[in-house]
Amino acid sequence: MTLIASTQRKITSASKWYGTRVHARPVATLAISGVILASFSFLLGVSVSVAAGDASMPWARYVTMALTQVGICLGIGLYLRDRR
Protein backbone atom coordinates (compact mmCIF):
# COMPACT_ATOMS: atom_id res chain seq x y z
CA MET A 1 0.00 0.00 0.00
CA THR A 2 2.80 2.40 0.80
CA LEU A 3 4.28 1.99 -2.67
CA ILE A 4 0.93 2.74 -4.31
CA ALA A 5 0.36 5.83 -2.16
CA SER A 6 3.89 7.05 -2.80
CA THR A 7 3.46 6.59 -6.55
CA GLN A 8 0.14 8.43 -6.48
CA ARG A 9 1.74 11.37 -4.65
CA LYS A 10 4.59 11.51 -7.17
CA ILE A 11 2.18 11.43 -10.12
CA THR A 12 0.01 14.13 -8.54
CA SER A 13 2.97 16.43 -7.90
CA ALA A 14 4.36 15.85 -11.39
CA SER A 15 1.02 16.62 -13.02
CA LYS A 16 0.63 19.80 -10.95
CA TRP A 17 4.15 20.89 -11.93
CA TYR A 18 3.43 20.21 -15.61
CA GLY A 19 0.11 22.05 -15.37
CA THR A 20 1.77 25.15 -13.96
CA ARG A 21 4.41 25.00 -16.72
CA VAL A 22 1.71 24.75 -19.41
CA HIS A 23 -0.18 27.64 -17.86
CA ALA A 24 2.95 29.80 -17.61
CA ARG A 25 4.41 29.05 -21.06
CA PRO A 26 2.03 26.95 -23.15
CA VAL A 27 3.87 27.17 -26.47
CA ALA A 28 7.33 26.34 -25.15
CA THR A 29 6.16 23.57 -22.82
CA LEU A 30 3.96 21.87 -25.40
CA ALA A 31 6.58 22.27 -28.13
CA ILE A 32 9.16 20.49 -25.97
CA SER A 33 6.61 17.82 -25.07
CA GLY A 34 5.75 17.40 -28.75
CA VAL A 35 9.37 16.95 -29.73
CA ILE A 36 9.85 14.34 -27.01
CA LEU A 37 6.67 12.53 -28.03
CA ALA A 38 7.63 12.63 -31.70
CA SER A 39 11.11 11.31 -30.97
CA PHE A 40 9.79 8.38 -28.99
CA SER A 41 7.14 7.50 -31.58
CA PHE A 42 9.71 7.76 -34.39
CA LEU A 43 12.12 5.47 -32.55
CA LEU A 44 9.31 3.06 -31.75
CA GLY A 45 8.31 2.88 -35.41
CA VAL A 46 11.88 2.33 -36.53
CA SER A 47 12.50 -0.36 -33.92
CA VAL A 48 9.31 -2.21 -34.89
CA SER A 49 10.33 -2.06 -38.55
CA VAL A 50 13.78 -3.38 -37.76
CA ALA A 51 12.37 -6.13 -35.54
CA ALA A 52 9.85 -7.12 -38.21
CA GLY A 53 12.62 -7.27 -40.79
CA ASP A 54 11.20 -4.76 -43.26
CA ALA A 55 13.62 -4.51 -46.17
CA SER A 56 12.59 -0.99 -47.07
CA MET A 57 12.10 1.25 -44.08
CA PRO A 58 9.21 3.68 -44.48
CA TRP A 59 11.24 6.65 -43.21
CA ALA A 60 8.97 9.21 -44.82
CA ARG A 61 5.94 7.85 -43.00
CA TYR A 62 7.69 7.96 -39.62
CA VAL A 63 9.05 11.46 -40.19
CA THR A 64 5.65 12.69 -41.34
CA MET A 65 3.99 11.19 -38.29
CA ALA A 66 6.56 12.77 -35.96
CA LEU A 67 6.25 16.21 -37.57
CA THR A 68 2.47 15.97 -37.38
CA GLN A 69 2.67 15.30 -33.64
CA VAL A 70 4.96 18.29 -33.13
CA GLY A 71 2.60 20.44 -35.19
CA ILE A 72 -0.40 19.36 -33.15
CA CYS A 73 1.37 20.15 -29.88
CA LEU A 74 2.42 23.56 -31.19
CA GLY A 75 -1.12 24.24 -32.38
CA ILE A 76 -2.54 23.40 -28.98
CA GLY A 77 0.07 25.64 -27.33
CA LEU A 78 -0.79 28.56 -29.60
CA TYR A 79 -4.50 28.00 -29.01
CA LEU A 80 -4.00 28.03 -25.24
CA ARG A 81 -1.84 31.14 -25.44
CA ASP A 82 -4.50 33.00 -27.43
CA ARG A 83 -7.25 32.03 -24.97
CA ARG A 84 -5.62 33.96 -22.12
Side-chain angles (χ1 to χ4, degrees):
M1 275 319 252
T2 309
L3 179 63
I4 293 172
S6 171
T7 304
Q8 285 176 339
R9 279 194 303 274
K10 288 179 183 177
I11 290 172
T12 301
S13 66
S15 63
K16 285 181 181 178
W17 176 83
Y18 187 74
T20 57
R21 297 295 300 166
V22 168
H23 183 70
R25 296 178 177 215
V27 178
T29 305
L30 289 172
I32 291 169
S33 298
V35 168
I36 293 169
L37 174 69
S39 300
F40 281 127
S41 65
F42 176 78
L43 292 175
L44 177 68
V46 169
S47 63
V48 167
S49 289
V50 169
D54 285 344
S56 61
M57 293 270 267
W59 293 102
R61 182 175 65 185
Y62 297 137
V63 170
T64 304
M65 180 180 63
L67 290 176
T68 302
Q69 289 173 344
V70 171
I72 289 171
C73 287
L74 278 174
I76 292 171
L78 290 171
Y79 175 73
L80 291 175
R81 185 185 69 183
D82 289 342
R83 289 202 59 195
R84 284 201 236 167

